[in-house]
Amino acid sequence: RFINLAALHDRNETLFFRIITDHPDETMPIIYTPTVGLACQQYGHIFQRARGLFVSATDRHQVESVLRNWPERNVKMIVVTDGERILGLGDLGANGMGIPIGKLSLYTACAGLHPWKCLPVMLDVGTNNEALLTDPLYLGLRHRRITGAAYDELVEEFIVATQEVFPGVVVQFEDFANHNAFRLLRRYRDRISCFNDDIQGTAAVAVAGILSSLRVTGSRITEQRFLCLGAGEAATGISDLLAAAMVDDGLTPEQARQRCWMVDSKGLVVASRSDLAEHKKGYAHEHEPVRDFLGAVQALKPSAIIGVGATPGMFVLGVTGGIGSGKSTVAALLAARGARVLDADAIVRELYAG
């Protein structure tokens, strides 16, 4: 279905967007998550026609010329990735181009942004994925990722070129690895119109949902304790925005951060741990080490749990309810998104039967 829709996108762009606009529930899971993940893994094998721009490490000192090859000049939105952290799949190199293409399709279908004003870009700096390096159908550069000054200089040249070729264009950083995502956002957020969807976009949606739920319960955000399952870009972005909301409601920044906790693959993020990445340290509080997520829930008793982890098997859900409760529908939706779901009623019946 992904291949068929991609082919339609190439043949008849107007019809493609009419279909996904009229049938969003059926088509969006195909053109974006979760199907786009598999499409990226197989990108070279299902490739039909080039879409978007590939800017590679070999284009150093001529990135502006590459951007000027794009036939449209009124570009308003660029989604760019370097393919190092595609969804929860890791380094997919140039195969990650499926993400900017899919994301911009959503911008057109959901926000009405004209497709001619959208530009998907892949910064091809190599890949450390050995399977791709030996794949004869891989489309990207066949060497390991460039890092350090060479990487930063390419990104800098790209950012400068975007503003020269498409003045005022918004640049969205998508699926960059943690070690680049935070620092690139800090470097460019005050220089150009840009944002990181994994850090800021996810946070905006999550915090909007929490604020809406608080209006229903009549509670204040300063009375809550939040626990994120995951401690990457999404968890940090959500915690930063939650802390900002609590500061607006009267807490100090330190008090606000104390109400946000994280669990990563090694357990609760606490101050005594010596293995923490820089972005986690702001939420590493004084507490006894806790090795797993369930233990953290029992110790902290959070009022809200936010699942943003990519490590499988950390989140186990028990679902209960009688006929008409919607249990089977909810369980199916959660299972489709990778959660382990236990039917609590079935377990109890087995225990009593035994």
Side-chain angles (χ1 to χ4, degrees):
R1 289 184 291 177
F2 178 92
I3 293 172
N4 289 338
L5 280 174
L8 177 62
H9 195 179
D10 292 336
R11 294 194 311 270
N12 190 332
E13 191 170 63
T14 301
L15 180 58
F16 169 80
F17 282 113
R18 180 59 186 265
I19 290 174
I20 65 174
T21 301
D22 289 351
H23 304 280
D25 292 344
E26 296 92 339
T27 58
M28 288 188 184
I30 300 172
I31 65 172
Y32 206 61
T33 53
T35 308
V36 73
L38 178 59
C40 286
Q41 289 177 308
Q42 301 295 324
Y43 195 76
H45 294 254
I46 63 173
F47 183 80
Q48 300 175 35
R49 178 181 171 186
R51 183 171 290 276
L53 272 180
F54 287 79
V55 177
S56 79
T58 59
D59 293 322
R60 186 76 176 91
H61 305 303
Q62 54 186 3
V63 172
E64 183 176 331
S65 297
V66 173
L67 293 185
R68 291 193 184 279
N69 287 329
W70 191 248
E72 302 297 330
R73 281 292 167 267
N74 193 27
V75 173
K76 299 298 183 184
M77 187 77 196
I78 290 175
V79 176
V80 58
T81 184
D82 69 354
E84 189 170 7
R85 194 202 63 85
I86 297 298
L87 304 176
L89 303 173
D91 184 356
L92 296 186
N95 285 6
M97 176 56 108
I99 296 297
I101 293 172
K103 183 58 68 71
L104 286 169
S105 295
L106 299 187
Y107 281 4
T108 297
C110 300
L113 187 61
H114 197 288
W116 292 356
K117 296 183 179 181
C118 302
L119 175 55
V121 176
M122 161 57 61
L123 281 181
D124 185 4
V125 296
T127 179
N128 295 336
N129 187 324
E130 294 295 340
L132 293 179
L133 291 174
T134 58
D135 183 350
L137 296 181
Y138 179 58
L139 300 175
L141 295 177
R142 294 179 181 275
H143 60 65
R144 300 187 70 80
R145 286 183 170 273
I146 64 170
T147 58
Y151 178 90
D152 289 346
E153 288 167 6
L154 179 65
V155 174
E156 173 70 16
E157 184 180 353
F158 168 74
I159 292 296
V160 171
T162 62
Q163 304 306 306
E164 288 291 330
V165 180
F166 312 111
V169 68
V170 177
V171 177
Q172 174 183 325
F173 297 106
E174 186 79 24
D175 285 355
F176 284 73
N178 292 343
H179 59 271
N180 287 322
F182 290 101
R183 65 187 190 87
L184 291 179
L185 182 60
R186 286 194 299 268
R187 179 175 299 171
Y188 295 113
R189 67 189 307 171
D190 295 325
R191 286 178 50 184
I192 65 168
S193 296
C194 68
F195 73 102
N196 184 299
D197 191 45
D198 306 292
I199 298 172
Q200 296 165 293
T202 304
V205 174
V207 175
I210 289 170
L211 293 176
S212 295
S213 68
L214 292 175
R215 285 198 292 270
V216 174
T217 62
S219 304
R220 295 180 60 187
I221 193 169
T222 53
E223 300 168 349
Q224 313 306 313
R225 179 179 289 113
F226 300 99
L227 177 61
C228 286
L229 175 57
E233 296 170 43
T236 304
I238 291 169
S239 298
D240 285 347
L241 196 55
L242 284 170
M246 286 186 273
V247 170
D248 286 345
D249 202 24
L251 295 186
T252 66
E254 180 59 29
Q255 290 172 331
R257 286 180 174 271
Q258 286 289 336
R259 292 188 168 273
C260 299
W261 296 76
M262 299 178 185
V263 172
D264 63 13
S265 60
K266 298 181 180 178
L268 187 63
V269 174
V270 294
S272 60
R273 283 178 50 179
S274 60
D275 60 342
L276 296 178
E278 191 64 32
H279 67 272
K280 300 180 185 181
K281 293 180 180 178
Y283 296 98
H285 309 308
E286 295 295 338
H287 195 281
E288 290 296 316
V290 180
R291 297 197 60 174
D292 57 28
F293 177 61
L294 180 58
V297 172
Q298 294 170 337
L300 298 175
K301 297 178 173 56
S303 52
I305 295 171
I306 304 169
V308 285
T311 303
M314 294 181 68
F315 210 175
V316 182
L317 300 171
V319 181
T320 186
I323 295 174
S325 67
K327 177 181 71 173
S328 59
T329 301
V330 171
L333 289 171
L334 292 169
R337 284 157 177 77
R340 287 192 294 164
V341 181
L342 304 180
D343 187 335
D345 298 320
I347 293 173
V348 172
R349 285 195 297 270
E350 289 178 11
L351 289 173
Y352 275 96

